[in-house]
Amino acid sequence: MDLRSLLAPRLVAHAHCDIPCGIYDPTPAKIAADTVAKMVEKITGAGGTDEASRNTFIRSVAVKEEHAQICKKELLILWTDYFKPEHLEKYPKLHDTFWKAAKLCSKNKQSVDAKAAADLQAAVKEIADIFWATKK
Amino acid sequence: MRPATLVFRVAVAGGSMEPTFRDGDWLLVRRLSGPPRAGEVVVATDPREPARLLVKRVGSVAGHRVTVHGDHPDESTDSRQFGPIPDSAVIGRPFLRYAPLRRIGFVK
């Protein structure tokens, strides 16, 4: 037996970030972005002036607003809590990508814009791809 | 997990105690005598998984309840997530970092 294995501890004391790393996931942001896109579709295609149609229209607007906000919140959690300086070194565009994605969330709240919704979906996908790459 | 000897060795896994300890540091730990004190580094059993050991710094001591946290809070799972731990879970005080050689030193 060499000196190193003689001196090596047999016990491990953990100094980990195990729980947060286990539960970070870009999926909620993706679902929220997909919901925004779906609501834009529904709002754009909405017709009818009867009460039921107006109710559906207003609900679609409210859900778009809500999910754009959820998307922003989920992105900010990933940005500020999950990603670390070493990720930034590997993905130098990370801050810019997050900043633009968060701005797209705001744009989707302000407008009914299929392109903005598709851009948000693409931005979230880009972030999700980076996230999963860091997990490999 | 309760080592029987008065002094035992542990290997640090993870970065939540940086810069005090780095991943892979080897520590000598004295079995705890007396209650833990705020500010000191301790080895404790994980409240979520008693067979597992944690190394953390004591934040506050209130009666028999102790909060622990990492020195590097961005990378730490600690009392912010799992709440205070009972003082009986605290089993030792690391007092010497004995490897790697260039990092040998007493624990503050």
Side-chain angles (χ1 to χ4, degrees), chain A residues 4-21 80-81 84-86, chain B residues 1 3 8-16 26 48 52-56 74-77 98:
Chain A
R4 189 184 153 81
S5 50
L6 205 65
L7 292 175
R10 282 180 299 274
L11 295 173
V12 170
H14 293 273
H16 274 309
C17 53
D18 44 4
I19 292 185
C21 292
T80 57
D81 295 351
K84 303 274 184 302
E86 57 265 34
Chain B
M1 170 52 62
F8 57 95
R9 292 166 292 176
V10 298
V12 175
S16 83
W26 291 354
R48 300 155 300 166
R52 181 181 148 101
L53 295 179
L54 303 174
V55 55
K56 298 285 172 187
D74 287 355
E75 299 215 354
S76 179
T77 299
Y98 71 96

Side-chain angles (χ1 to χ4, degrees), chain B residues 45-104:
Chain B
T45 55
D46 189 329
R48 300 155 300 166
E49 198 185 325
R52 181 181 148 101
L53 295 179
L54 303 174
V55 55
K56 298 285 172 187
R57 195 176 291 278
V58 174
S60 62
V61 181
H64 292 290
R65 289 157 76 77
V66 177
T67 62
V68 292
H69 54 76
D71 281 358
H72 188 188
D74 287 355
E75 299 215 354
S76 179
T77 299
D78 49 38
S79 288
R80 292 171 302 169
Q81 285 87 30
F82 51 65
I85 61 173
D87 62 359
S88 59
V90 178
I91 61 168
R93 293 188 177 101
F95 63 96
L96 182 75
R97 192 173 48 238
Y98 71 96
L101 285 176
R102 64 179 185 286
R103 287 179 46 75
I104 283 183

Side-chain angles (χ1 to χ4, degrees), chain A residues 15-87:
Chain A
H16 274 309
C17 53
D18 44 4
I19 292 185
C21 292
I23 60 172
Y24 288 124
D25 193 318
T27 310
K30 180 184 183 299
I31 293 170
D34 291 349
T35 305
V36 168
K38 186 80 193 166
M39 291 305 119
V40 168
E41 211 176 283
K42 284 185 82 162
I43 294 164
T44 313
T49 51
D50 58 294
E51 208 162 71
S53 303
R54 280 159 55 209
N55 185 52
T56 303
F57 178 83
I58 289 166
R59 287 194 63 194
S60 302
V61 173
V63 171
K64 173 175 76 69
E65 181 82 16
E66 184 190 345
H67 282 262
Q69 184 63 29
I70 291 172
C71 188
K72 189 192 276 184
K73 183 185 137 207
E74 292 291 334
L75 290 175
L76 295 187
I77 290 170
L78 291 175
W79 189 8
T80 57
D81 295 351
Y82 173 73
F83 283 101
K84 303 274 184 302
E86 57 265 34
H87 296 136

